Amino acid sequence: MCRWLVYSGTPVLLDDVLYRPEHSLIDQSLHARMGVETTNGDGFGVGWYAWHLRTPAVIRDTGPAWSNRNLREIADHVRSSLFFAHVRASTGTAVQQTNCHPFRHGRWMWMHNGAITGFSAMRRDLMMSIAPELFPSLEGTTDSEVMFHVALTLGLDADPPGAVARMAGLVERLGHEHGVPEPLQMTVAVTDGERVWFFRYSSGGASRSLYYSSRVEDVRALHPDLAFLNHISDETRLVVSEPLGDLPGVWNTVPENSYGVVQPGRGLLRHFEPEPV
């Protein structure tokens, strides 16, 4: 499937997170350890926020991330306090730019690892549930983008956890109506540019891997020799499909059927349950 990461905290160059870690996302695009596929070469995307703008910039391409010269170029020059990055392994939809993550609508960004099983059978029903005013912004053919627009329709602006729960409930209901016993597999990240919500859920209770980083002050205490920790704020966080390295005490598994919030102050981890729609 795919690998993704979220960075939120002290502004850093994209290079610091995308390329420099021992098991960076670029390394994962070739050598994923925990994904269904080892290679994630069916496109990539990066989205980030600038301090003076409410809407994110997004670049996406259909080639592999590991050899893209433009990505390498901007990574050395773009600095941000919040960015998403995603490397794609297609689950059957076309390898095209509009199918690459992250997806954007207004101030929102969304990315996904997983799949809707039986998507082709329930695609029409899901698309008909999207608000008419949002429908023209659909560009690609993926289940991930449809999930995003369904969540937008079901109240993402006002209540992100509730909107994602209602989206998941709708997918499961339609899947069961079409004879699919376990329709949904997802790790999802979504942001409005200020907070980040991340979700780990699957209908079968065997979700794809997802990790969040420990509090910076705790990592400093464990590894006082790591000088770069002195230059980032205590509120800096990463959420990743798989750890970027093997340092003890840095990475924590996101529990099955749960969601988290990255925000100023202490983040939250809570139980996630689809809501019937």
Side-chain angles (χ1 to χ4, degrees):
M1 292 197 175
C2 308
R3 304 282 84 184
W4 57 253
L5 72 79
V6 173
Y7 175 87
S8 175
T10 299
V12 296
L13 289 172
L14 302 187
D15 176 69
D16 292 333
V17 178
L18 287 183
Y19 286 90
R20 289 185 179 274
E22 172 189 358
H23 189 46
S24 69
L25 193 68
I26 302 303
D27 182 61
Q28 291 175 35
S29 68
L30 267 172
H31 306 296
R33 300 171 183 172
M34 300 178 180
V36 175
E37 296 87 5
T38 301
T39 303
N40 297 275
D42 295 328
F44 69 88
V46 179
W48 67 93
Y49 292 84
W51 65 269
H52 60 295
L53 298 173
R54 281 181 54 77
T55 57
V58 173
I59 64 161
R60 301 181 292 178
D61 205 351
T62 56
W66 65 77
S67 61
N68 191 279
R69 295 181 66 183
N70 290 329
L71 180 60
R72 174 71 269 184
E73 181 72 15
I74 69 163
D76 286 329
H77 293 81
V78 172
R79 187 181 299 271
S80 180
S81 61
L82 174 54
F83 62 87
F84 280 15
H86 187 282
V87 292
R88 183 173 184 242
S90 172
T91 55
T93 49
V95 177
Q96 61 191 47
Q97 193 176 85
T98 53
N99 283 346
C100 295
H101 310 224
F103 301 102
R104 172 182 60 188
H105 183 80
R107 73 181 192 275
W108 292 95
M109 279 199 300
W110 170 284
M111 58 186 177
H112 167 233
N113 174 35
I116 296 176
T117 302
F119 177 60
S120 59
M122 65 182 89
R123 180 180 177 187
R124 181 181 182 276
D125 292 333
L126 284 169
M127 293 184 77
M128 291 298 289
S129 74
I130 295 170
E133 65 272 17
L134 293 172
F135 201 86
S137 66
L138 277 167
E139 296 185 316
T141 59
T142 64
D143 51 359
S144 304
E145 188 182 17
V146 170
M147 290 164 64
F148 180 31
H149 282 73
V150 171
L152 285 164
T153 298
L154 296 176
L156 191 66
D157 275 320
D159 176 18
V164 175
R166 290 185 286 274
M167 177 276 295
L170 177 61
V171 169
E172 292 199 323
R173 176 173 66 79
L174 291 174
H176 296 156
E177 289 174 3
H178 285 274
V180 181
E182 297 178 358
L184 186 57
Q185 172 71 245
M186 71 175 200
T187 63
V188 162
V190 60
T191 182
D192 60 359
E194 297 179 4
R195 291 181 289 173
V196 177
W197 294 263
F198 55 94
F199 302 81
R200 183 174 184 236
Y201 175 79
S202 59
S203 305
S207 302
R208 300 292 181 252
S209 59
L210 194 63
Y211 294 81
Y212 65 95
S213 61
S214 298
R215 292 173 61 84
V216 171
E217 58 266 42
D218 296 335
V219 180
R220 285 195 193 104
L222 286 169
H223 304 284
D225 54 324
L226 296 180
F228 74 89
L229 292 173
N230 298 322
H231 305 292
I232 59 174
S233 71
D234 290 347
E235 293 183 344
T236 296
R237 293 286 186 279
L238 287 115
V239 185
V240 298
S241 293
E242 54 188 77
L244 305 185
D246 299 322
L247 279 175
V250 174
W251 302 105
N252 310 276
T253 301
V254 176
E256 187 74 49
N257 297 358
S258 65
Y259 78 91
V261 187
V262 177
Q263 60 187 2
R266 197 173 281 271
L268 303 173
L269 268 177
R270 292 181 175 170
H271 179 71
F272 178 80
E273 195 75 37
E275 292 183 15
V277 175

